[in-house]
Amino acid sequence: MNESRLVPPRNSGESLSGERETQPLDVLQQRLGHTFAEPQLLRQAVTHRSAGADNWERLEFLGDAVLGFVVSRLLFDLNPEVSEQQLTVMRANLVQKNALANVAADLGLSTFINLGTVEDKSGVAEHNAIRADALEAVLGAVACDGGIDAASRVVERLYGDRLTELAGIAEKDPKSRLQEILQAKRLDLPNYTVVATTGEEHARVYHVECAAEGLSVRAGASGRSLREAEKRAAAAVLAILAPHREDDD
């Protein structure tokens, strides 16, 4: 997959009077690369609850699940040598709210969102949470309209190189990555504690807890060796931290 990230022409989204203007939905369909058989689904997907009862909330619920599955499948296919723990971290980096907001910004999604009058004037269309929710709703609408294959094509188109840029993350040991994050924040290094060992001596399983006390995060994992269990526990902590990483950068 060599398709570069979709970046629409810059558009302020404002009229000369200072009021925000929304663009026609056929433009959004072109950017998505999907023509809706039922255009009302897309209309609903870009309608905030402040603009009416027929809004995006149910489609957002569906889109969240669709995105998780599609990204998981794409990462699974693109990274055949990557472990389950590493795939989990990679997926978390792609589906967290800030990542979704960035994809939505590349799509210019805020210029299509329908808002109530008060919300429209407040500028909430540019808020990360609103853009992320709207993107999930749009993906839910695509899945309803064209099925999971259509949703997969749209996700691959929108995410572009983001799906392959995480390769470097997968190659680095999760213990090293976690240590780097904590050192960058000048926090204490993580603690690894063996909380239990099970199994016969020749088939011992280690259960380890990793605690990043400075970030008030801890998670546990198991492995056939102490090193494997520690790496998996560190990966579990990274997966918890991923949704908050961009907020702190």
Side-chain angles (χ1 to χ4, degrees), residues 26 30-31 51 60 97 107 112 144 146 180 184 195 208 229 231:
D26 59 343
Q30 292 171 7
R31 294 182 185 178
E60 178 195 348
K97 289 295 184 182
L107 184 61
F112 300 95
C144 283
E180 288 175 1
V195 294
V208 170
K231 287 172 64 175

Side-chain angles (χ1 to χ4, degrees), residues 56-72 91 94-97 100 132-141 143 148 151 155 159:
W56 72 44
E57 290 186 340
R58 283 172 54 83
L59 288 172
E60 178 195 348
F61 165 78
L62 177 62
D64 176 67
V66 168
L67 180 67
F69 170 76
V70 171
V71 167
S72 297
R91 180 182 60 194
L94 290 172
V95 302
Q96 49 110 333
K97 289 295 184 182
L100 287 173
D133 290 349
L135 181 61
E136 287 182 332
V138 167
L139 294 176
I148 198 66
V155 169
Y159 271 84

Side-chain angles (χ1 to χ4, degrees), residues 3-222:
E3 186 173 2
S4 60
R5 210 171 280 183
L6 181 66
V7 182
R10 290 194 173 274
N11 188 321
S12 67
E14 292 187 355
S15 66
L16 294 177
S17 66
E19 295 181 355
R20 191 177 67 90
E21 293 182 337
T22 56
Q23 297 194 67
L25 293 184
D26 59 343
V27 176
L28 179 55
Q29 292 184 85
Q30 292 171 7
R31 294 182 185 178
L32 292 170
H34 177 79
T35 300
F36 278 76
E38 299 182 50
Q40 70 272 17
L41 283 169
L42 182 58
R43 191 173 302 110
Q44 180 183 352
V46 294
T47 300
H48 187 258
R49 64 183 177 183
S50 63
D54 193 20
N55 57 63
W56 72 44
E57 290 186 340
R58 283 172 54 83
L59 288 172
E60 178 195 348
F61 165 78
L62 177 62
D64 176 67
V66 168
L67 180 67
F69 170 76
V70 171
V71 167
S72 297
R73 179 59 188 270
L74 290 170
L75 291 173
F76 181 86
D77 291 341
L78 288 167
N79 303 278
E81 304 300 323
V82 173
S83 71
E84 179 266 340
Q85 289 78 20
Q86 291 169 316
L87 287 172
T88 298
V89 174
M90 293 167 73
R91 180 182 60 194
N93 275 276
L94 290 172
V95 302
Q96 49 110 333
K97 289 295 184 182
N98 281 315
L100 287 173
N102 289 336
V103 173
D106 286 352
L107 184 61
L109 188 55
S110 61
T111 62
F112 300 95
I113 294 175
N114 295 319
L115 294 164
T117 302
V118 173
E119 289 77 9
D120 199 9
K121 291 181 178 180
S122 70
V124 299
E126 296 296 339
H127 291 182
N128 279 358
I130 293 293
R131 291 190 298 198
D133 290 349
L135 181 61
E136 287 182 332
V138 167
L139 294 176
V142 172
C144 283
D145 188 73
I148 198 66
D149 288 341
S152 296
R153 288 191 294 271
V154 170
V155 169
E156 190 167 358
R157 175 184 176 87
L158 296 183
Y159 271 84
D161 291 340
R162 286 181 174 91
L163 289 161
T164 55
E165 286 172 354
L166 289 174
I169 293 178
E171 292 171 0
K172 189 176 289 188
D173 183 285
K175 291 181 65 175
S176 299
R177 294 202 309 276
L178 179 57
Q179 181 173 316
E180 288 175 1
I181 291 170
L182 295 175
Q183 287 178 326
K185 297 177 180 295
R186 298 186 178 183
L187 298 174
D188 292 338
L189 296 181
N191 294 317
Y192 296 91
T193 304
V194 178
V195 294
T197 57
T198 58
E200 300 294 332
E201 187 174 351
H202 65 280
R204 188 77 71 199
V205 176
Y206 295 85
H207 306 272
V208 170
E209 181 182 76
C210 174
E213 299 292 357
L215 297 174
S216 300
V217 175
R218 61 181 62 227
S222 302

